[in-house]
Short mmCIF file of all heavy atoms in Angstrom, two decimals:
data_model
loop_
_atom_site.label_atom_id
_atom_site.label_comp_id
_atom_site.label_asym_id
_atom_site.label_seq_id
_atom_site.Cartn_x
_atom_site.Cartn_y
_atom_site.Cartn_z
N ALA A 989 26.05 24.11 40.43
CA ALA A 989 26.08 23.72 39.02
C ALA A 989 25.30 22.42 38.78
O ALA A 989 24.63 22.26 37.76
CB ALA A 989 27.53 23.56 38.57
N GLN A 990 25.36 21.51 39.74
CA GLN A 990 24.62 20.27 39.61
C GLN A 990 23.11 20.47 39.72
O GLN A 990 22.32 19.65 39.20
CB GLN A 990 25.08 19.26 40.68
CG GLN A 990 26.50 18.73 40.43
CD GLN A 990 26.92 17.72 41.47
OE1 GLN A 990 26.54 17.79 42.62
NE2 GLN A 990 27.76 16.78 41.07
N ARG A 991 22.69 21.55 40.35
CA ARG A 991 21.26 21.88 40.41
C ARG A 991 20.78 22.54 39.11
O ARG A 991 19.63 22.92 38.99
CB ARG A 991 20.98 22.82 41.58
CG ARG A 991 21.09 22.18 42.96
CD ARG A 991 20.50 23.07 44.04
NE ARG A 991 21.20 24.33 44.17
CZ ARG A 991 22.19 24.54 45.04
NH1 ARG A 991 22.63 23.56 45.84
NH2 ARG A 991 22.77 25.74 45.11
N GLY A 992 21.68 22.70 38.16
CA GLY A 992 21.32 23.37 36.91
C GLY A 992 21.79 24.80 36.85
O GLY A 992 21.48 25.51 35.89
N GLY A 993 22.54 25.24 37.88
CA GLY A 993 23.06 26.60 37.91
C GLY A 993 24.49 26.68 37.41
O GLY A 993 24.96 25.85 36.64
N VAL A 994 25.19 27.68 37.87
CA VAL A 994 26.59 27.87 37.49
C VAL A 994 27.33 28.41 38.71
O VAL A 994 26.76 29.12 39.55
CB VAL A 994 26.71 28.84 36.29
CG1 VAL A 994 26.11 30.20 36.63
CG2 VAL A 994 28.14 29.00 35.80
N GLY A 995 28.59 28.04 38.84
CA GLY A 995 29.43 28.46 39.96
C GLY A 995 30.64 29.24 39.49
O GLY A 995 31.16 29.00 38.39
N LEU A 996 31.11 30.16 40.32
CA LEU A 996 32.26 30.99 39.96
C LEU A 996 33.11 31.26 41.18
O LEU A 996 32.62 31.69 42.22
CB LEU A 996 31.79 32.33 39.38
CG LEU A 996 32.89 33.40 39.17
CD1 LEU A 996 33.84 32.98 38.06
CD2 LEU A 996 32.26 34.77 38.89
N VAL A 997 34.41 31.01 41.06
CA VAL A 997 35.41 31.44 42.04
C VAL A 997 36.36 32.40 41.35
O VAL A 997 37.00 32.02 40.37
CB VAL A 997 36.18 30.26 42.65
CG1 VAL A 997 37.30 30.79 43.56
CG2 VAL A 997 35.24 29.37 43.46
N SER A 998 36.41 33.63 41.83
CA SER A 998 37.29 34.65 41.29
C SER A 998 38.44 34.84 42.29
O SER A 998 38.21 35.30 43.40
CB SER A 998 36.53 35.95 41.07
OG SER A 998 37.35 36.93 40.50
N TYR A 999 39.65 34.51 41.88
CA TYR A 999 40.80 34.45 42.77
C TYR A 999 41.77 35.58 42.43
O TYR A 999 42.40 35.59 41.39
CB TYR A 999 41.49 33.09 42.61
CG TYR A 999 42.50 32.76 43.67
CD1 TYR A 999 42.15 32.04 44.81
CD2 TYR A 999 43.83 33.14 43.56
CE1 TYR A 999 43.08 31.70 45.78
CE2 TYR A 999 44.78 32.82 44.50
CZ TYR A 999 44.41 32.10 45.63
OH TYR A 999 45.34 31.78 46.58
N PHE A 1000 41.90 36.54 43.36
CA PHE A 1000 42.73 37.70 43.15
C PHE A 1000 44.08 37.56 43.87
O PHE A 1000 44.13 37.08 44.99
CB PHE A 1000 42.05 38.98 43.69
CG PHE A 1000 40.92 39.48 42.84
CD1 PHE A 1000 39.66 38.91 42.91
CD2 PHE A 1000 41.11 40.52 41.94
CE1 PHE A 1000 38.62 39.37 42.12
CE2 PHE A 1000 40.07 40.98 41.15
CZ PHE A 1000 38.83 40.41 41.24
N ARG A 1001 45.15 38.02 43.20
CA ARG A 1001 46.48 37.99 43.82
C ARG A 1001 46.64 39.25 44.69
O ARG A 1001 47.21 40.25 44.27
CB ARG A 1001 47.57 37.91 42.75
CG ARG A 1001 47.62 36.70 41.89
CD ARG A 1001 47.24 35.41 42.57
NE ARG A 1001 47.52 34.24 41.81
CZ ARG A 1001 46.67 33.69 40.93
NH1 ARG A 1001 45.52 34.28 40.65
NH2 ARG A 1001 47.01 32.57 40.31
N LYS A 1002 46.14 39.17 45.89
CA LYS A 1002 46.25 40.26 46.85
C LYS A 1002 46.73 39.69 48.18
O LYS A 1002 46.08 39.80 49.20
CB LYS A 1002 44.88 40.95 47.06
CG LYS A 1002 44.31 41.63 45.83
CD LYS A 1002 42.95 42.24 46.17
CE LYS A 1002 42.31 42.90 44.97
NZ LYS A 1002 40.93 43.42 45.33
N GLU A 1003 47.91 39.08 48.14
CA GLU A 1003 48.44 38.38 49.29
C GLU A 1003 48.49 39.26 50.55
O GLU A 1003 48.92 40.42 50.51
CB GLU A 1003 49.85 37.87 49.00
CG GLU A 1003 50.58 37.23 50.16
CD GLU A 1003 49.86 35.97 50.66
OE1 GLU A 1003 49.70 35.02 49.84
OE2 GLU A 1003 49.48 35.93 51.83
N GLY A 1004 48.01 38.69 51.67
CA GLY A 1004 48.07 39.38 52.95
C GLY A 1004 47.30 40.68 52.98
O GLY A 1004 47.82 41.68 53.50
N ARG A 1005 46.07 40.64 52.47
CA ARG A 1005 45.26 41.89 52.38
C ARG A 1005 45.92 42.95 51.52
O ARG A 1005 45.84 44.15 51.78
CB ARG A 1005 44.95 42.45 53.77
CG ARG A 1005 44.15 41.53 54.65
CD ARG A 1005 43.83 42.22 55.97
NE ARG A 1005 43.24 41.27 56.91
CZ ARG A 1005 43.08 41.49 58.18
NH1 ARG A 1005 43.48 42.64 58.69
NH2 ARG A 1005 42.54 40.57 58.96
N ALA A 1006 46.66 42.50 50.49
CA ALA A 1006 47.43 43.35 49.60
C ALA A 1006 48.57 44.07 50.34
O ALA A 1006 49.12 45.04 49.82
CB ALA A 1006 46.54 44.35 48.87
N LEU A 1007 48.91 43.57 51.52
CA LEU A 1007 50.05 44.13 52.28
C LEU A 1007 51.32 43.33 52.02
O LEU A 1007 52.41 43.79 52.33
CB LEU A 1007 49.74 44.09 53.78
CG LEU A 1007 48.52 44.90 54.25
CD1 LEU A 1007 48.18 44.56 55.69
CD2 LEU A 1007 48.75 46.39 54.08
N GLY A 1008 51.19 42.14 51.47
CA GLY A 1008 52.33 41.27 51.18
C GLY A 1008 52.55 40.26 52.31
O GLY A 1008 52.13 40.45 53.46
N GLU A 1009 53.25 39.20 51.97
CA GLU A 1009 53.44 38.11 52.93
C GLU A 1009 54.44 38.45 54.01
O GLU A 1009 54.32 37.97 55.14
CB GLU A 1009 53.86 36.84 52.19
CG GLU A 1009 53.54 35.58 52.95
CD GLU A 1009 53.66 34.32 52.12
OE1 GLU A 1009 54.51 34.28 51.20
OE2 GLU A 1009 52.91 33.38 52.36
N VAL A 1010 55.46 39.27 53.73
CA VAL A 1010 56.39 39.67 54.77
C VAL A 1010 55.67 40.44 55.87
O VAL A 1010 55.81 40.14 57.05
CB VAL A 1010 57.56 40.50 54.18
CG1 VAL A 1010 58.38 41.13 55.29
CG2 VAL A 1010 58.45 39.63 53.30
N THR A 1011 54.89 41.43 55.44
CA THR A 1011 54.11 42.19 56.42
C THR A 1011 53.16 41.27 57.20
O THR A 1011 53.01 41.41 58.43
CB THR A 1011 53.30 43.30 55.71
OG1 THR A 1011 54.21 44.23 55.14
CG2 THR A 1011 52.39 44.03 56.70
N LYS A 1012 52.53 40.33 56.52
CA LYS A 1012 51.60 39.42 57.18
C LYS A 1012 52.30 38.61 58.26
O LYS A 1012 51.78 38.47 59.39
CB LYS A 1012 50.95 38.49 56.17
CG LYS A 1012 49.92 37.56 56.79
CD LYS A 1012 49.06 36.89 55.74
CE LYS A 1012 49.80 35.86 54.95
NZ LYS A 1012 48.87 35.08 54.04
N PHE A 1013 53.49 38.10 57.96
CA PHE A 1013 54.21 37.30 58.96
C PHE A 1013 54.68 38.16 60.13
O PHE A 1013 54.73 37.71 61.28
CB PHE A 1013 55.39 36.59 58.31
CG PHE A 1013 55.01 35.45 57.41
CD1 PHE A 1013 53.69 35.19 57.11
CD2 PHE A 1013 55.98 34.63 56.86
CE1 PHE A 1013 53.34 34.13 56.25
CE2 PHE A 1013 55.65 33.58 56.04
CZ PHE A 1013 54.32 33.34 55.73
N LEU A 1014 55.07 39.40 59.86
CA LEU A 1014 55.43 40.32 60.94
C LEU A 1014 54.24 40.53 61.88
O LEU A 1014 54.40 40.56 63.11
CB LEU A 1014 55.88 41.66 60.38
CG LEU A 1014 57.17 41.69 59.53
CD1 LEU A 1014 57.40 43.06 58.96
CD2 LEU A 1014 58.37 41.26 60.37
N VAL A 1015 53.06 40.67 61.30
CA VAL A 1015 51.84 40.84 62.10
C VAL A 1015 51.59 39.58 62.91
O VAL A 1015 51.20 39.66 64.10
CB VAL A 1015 50.63 41.17 61.20
CG1 VAL A 1015 49.35 41.14 62.01
CG2 VAL A 1015 50.81 42.52 60.55
N TYR A 1016 51.76 38.40 62.33
CA TYR A 1016 51.60 37.16 63.09
C TYR A 1016 52.48 37.18 64.33
O TYR A 1016 52.02 36.83 65.43
CB TYR A 1016 51.96 35.95 62.22
CG TYR A 1016 50.98 35.59 61.15
CD1 TYR A 1016 51.34 34.66 60.15
CD2 TYR A 1016 49.71 36.16 61.08
CE1 TYR A 1016 50.44 34.31 59.17
CE2 TYR A 1016 48.83 35.81 60.09
CZ TYR A 1016 49.18 34.89 59.12
OH TYR A 1016 48.32 34.55 58.13
N ASN A 1017 53.75 37.54 64.16
CA ASN A 1017 54.67 37.58 65.30
C ASN A 1017 54.20 38.57 66.35
O ASN A 1017 54.21 38.28 67.56
CB ASN A 1017 56.08 37.94 64.85
CG ASN A 1017 56.79 36.79 64.16
OD1 ASN A 1017 56.36 35.64 64.24
ND2 ASN A 1017 57.89 37.10 63.46
N ALA A 1018 53.78 39.75 65.91
CA ALA A 1018 53.32 40.78 66.84
C ALA A 1018 52.08 40.33 67.62
O ALA A 1018 51.96 40.57 68.81
CB ALA A 1018 53.02 42.08 66.09
N ARG A 1019 51.16 39.66 66.94
CA ARG A 1019 49.95 39.15 67.60
C ARG A 1019 50.31 38.11 68.66
O ARG A 1019 49.74 38.11 69.76
CB ARG A 1019 49.02 38.54 66.58
CG ARG A 1019 48.26 39.53 65.75
CD ARG A 1019 47.51 38.85 64.59
NE ARG A 1019 46.67 37.71 65.06
CZ ARG A 1019 46.08 36.86 64.21
NH1 ARG A 1019 46.23 37.00 62.90
NH2 ARG A 1019 45.35 35.88 64.72
N LYS A 1020 51.21 37.20 68.32
CA LYS A 1020 51.55 36.10 69.23
C LYS A 1020 52.41 36.56 70.41
O LYS A 1020 52.37 35.92 71.48
CB LYS A 1020 52.28 35.00 68.47
CG LYS A 1020 51.52 34.41 67.28
CD LYS A 1020 50.31 33.62 67.69
CE LYS A 1020 49.66 32.91 66.51
NZ LYS A 1020 48.44 32.14 66.93
N ARG A 1021 53.17 37.61 70.23
CA ARG A 1021 54.09 38.07 71.27
C ARG A 1021 53.55 39.20 72.16
O ARG A 1021 54.16 39.54 73.16
CB ARG A 1021 55.41 38.55 70.64
CG ARG A 1021 56.27 37.41 70.12
CD ARG A 1021 57.43 37.97 69.32
NE ARG A 1021 58.38 36.93 68.93
CZ ARG A 1021 59.20 37.03 67.89
NH1 ARG A 1021 59.17 38.14 67.15
NH2 ARG A 1021 60.02 36.05 67.59
N GLN A 1022 52.43 39.80 71.79
CA GLN A 1022 51.92 40.91 72.57
C GLN A 1022 51.49 40.48 73.97
O GLN A 1022 51.19 39.32 74.21
CB GLN A 1022 50.75 41.57 71.84
CG GLN A 1022 49.51 40.72 71.72
CD GLN A 1022 48.43 41.37 70.84
OE1 GLN A 1022 48.41 42.57 70.65
NE2 GLN A 1022 47.55 40.56 70.28
N VAL A 1023 51.46 41.44 74.90
CA VAL A 1023 51.02 41.16 76.26
C VAL A 1023 49.58 40.64 76.23
O VAL A 1023 48.71 41.25 75.60
CB VAL A 1023 51.11 42.44 77.13
CG1 VAL A 1023 50.54 42.16 78.52
CG2 VAL A 1023 52.55 42.93 77.22
N GLY A 1024 49.35 39.53 76.87
CA GLY A 1024 48.02 38.92 76.86
C GLY A 1024 47.79 37.91 75.77
O GLY A 1024 46.76 37.23 75.74
N GLY A 1025 48.80 37.79 74.84
CA GLY A 1025 48.68 36.81 73.77
C GLY A 1025 47.81 37.27 72.62
O GLY A 1025 47.41 38.44 72.53
N ASP A 1026 47.53 36.36 71.72
CA ASP A 1026 46.78 36.64 70.48
C ASP A 1026 45.29 36.62 70.76
O ASP A 1026 44.68 35.56 70.87
CB ASP A 1026 47.14 35.58 69.43
CG ASP A 1026 46.50 35.84 68.07
OD1 ASP A 1026 45.98 36.96 67.85
OD2 ASP A 1026 46.51 34.92 67.23
N THR A 1027 44.70 37.80 70.90
CA THR A 1027 43.28 37.89 71.21
C THR A 1027 42.52 38.66 70.12
O THR A 1027 43.11 39.48 69.41
CB THR A 1027 43.05 38.61 72.57
OG1 THR A 1027 43.67 39.91 72.52
CG2 THR A 1027 43.64 37.80 73.69
N ALA A 1028 41.24 38.39 70.01
CA ALA A 1028 40.42 38.99 68.97
C ALA A 1028 40.29 40.49 69.10
O ALA A 1028 40.15 41.21 68.10
CB ALA A 1028 39.04 38.33 68.95
N ASP A 1029 40.32 41.00 70.35
CA ASP A 1029 40.14 42.44 70.54
C ASP A 1029 41.31 43.26 69.99
O ASP A 1029 41.18 44.45 69.76
CB ASP A 1029 39.90 42.76 72.01
CG ASP A 1029 41.06 42.39 72.91
OD1 ASP A 1029 41.82 41.45 72.57
OD2 ASP A 1029 41.22 43.04 73.97
N GLN A 1030 42.46 42.63 69.76
CA GLN A 1030 43.62 43.32 69.21
C GLN A 1030 43.94 42.91 67.78
O GLN A 1030 44.96 43.32 67.23
CB GLN A 1030 44.84 43.07 70.11
CG GLN A 1030 44.73 43.64 71.50
CD GLN A 1030 44.61 45.16 71.49
OE1 GLN A 1030 45.31 45.85 70.76
NE2 GLN A 1030 43.66 45.67 72.27
N TYR A 1031 43.07 42.11 67.17
CA TYR A 1031 43.35 41.50 65.87
C TYR A 1031 43.65 42.57 64.80
O TYR A 1031 44.68 42.53 64.12
CB TYR A 1031 42.15 40.66 65.45
CG TYR A 1031 42.25 40.06 64.07
CD1 TYR A 1031 43.00 38.92 63.83
CD2 TYR A 1031 41.57 40.63 62.98
CE1 TYR A 1031 43.08 38.37 62.55
CE2 TYR A 1031 41.64 40.11 61.72
CZ TYR A 1031 42.40 38.98 61.50
OH TYR A 1031 42.48 38.46 60.24
#
């Protein structure tokens, strides 16, 4: 915007990939507790 343009942030209410925060926290626990720990190959 300072360069003479315009900026836009569009913020959607789609918490946790639209799965919801409860599901997201369950996934966090599963990732952290799985054999081998939280790794990218199982993300």
Side-chain angles (χ1 to χ4, degrees):
Q990 290 181 329
R991 289 193 297 266
V994 61
L996 170 69
V997 173
S998 182
Y999 192 93
F1000 286 81
R1001 297 324 191 273
K1002 297 178 181 177
E1003 175 63 60
R1005 298 184 189 167
L1007 301 169
E1009 204 167 32
V1010 169
T1011 296
K1012 183 166 72 172
F1013 288 7
L1014 295 175
V1015 172
Y1016 287 168
N1017 285 345
R1019 284 170 52 189
K1020 301 292 187 180
R1021 287 172 173 156
Q1022 67 187 338
V1023 176
D1026 185 14
T1027 57
D1029 62 332
Q1030 295 298 315
Y1031 176 80

